[in-house]
């Protein structure tokens, strides 16, 4: 049985979400998806965008910190 692990990042108005999943493939028609981890990082990008019409430098720094955490999580699961 072939197994693939992958990660998905969703940048929303109120948070950055990361999901790490595994797809197991027994045959071409038979696939199962199992969620290994789902992490939510609250961040008000939408508040900056809609109220201020730009993203503040503080929010950019916070987003960079979140992406560093996601990068470490991807390395933990050996996701490129």
């Amino acid at each position: 049985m072939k197994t693939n692990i992958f990660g998905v990042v969703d940048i929303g108005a109120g948070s950055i979400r990361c999901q790490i999943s595994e797809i197991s493939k027994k045959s071409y028609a038979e696939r199962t998806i199992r969620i290994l981890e789902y992490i939510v990082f609250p961040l008000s990008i939408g508040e900056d965008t809609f109220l201020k019409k730009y993203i503040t430098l503080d929010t950019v720094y916070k987003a960079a910190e979140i992406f560093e955490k996601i990068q470490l999580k991807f390395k933990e699961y050996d996701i490129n």
Side-chain angles (χ1 to χ4, degrees):
M1 175 172 31
K2 187 177 178 184
T3 302
N4 294 310
I5 296 177
F6 66 96
V8 177
V9 177
D10 175 38
I11 303 170
S15 65
I16 296 175
R17 294 172 291 280
C18 172
Q19 180 174 310
I20 298 173
S21 300
E22 175 183 53
I23 296 180
S24 299
K25 199 157 67 163
K26 295 178 184 176
S27 67
Y28 181 75
E30 223 178 307
R31 297 180 190 157
T32 58
I33 298 175
R34 183 170 65 113
I35 297 172
L36 302 175
E37 281 199 50
Y38 184 77
I39 310 163
V40 178
F41 301 95
L43 184 65
S44 283
I45 298 172
E47 184 178 324
D48 283 0
T49 304
F50 301 123
L51 296 178
K52 299 175 184 172
K53 306 295 183 204
Y54 64 92
I55 298 173
T56 63
L57 195 54
D58 184 50
T59 301
V60 171
Y61 287 142
K62 288 177 184 174
E65 290 174 10
I66 290 169
F67 285 120
E68 286 176 358
K69 291 176 185 177
I70 290 171
Q71 183 181 25
L72 290 173
K73 190 55 74 174
F74 280 11
K75 282 184 181 180
E76 182 181 322
Y77 284 93
D78 196 28
I79 299 171
N80 295 325

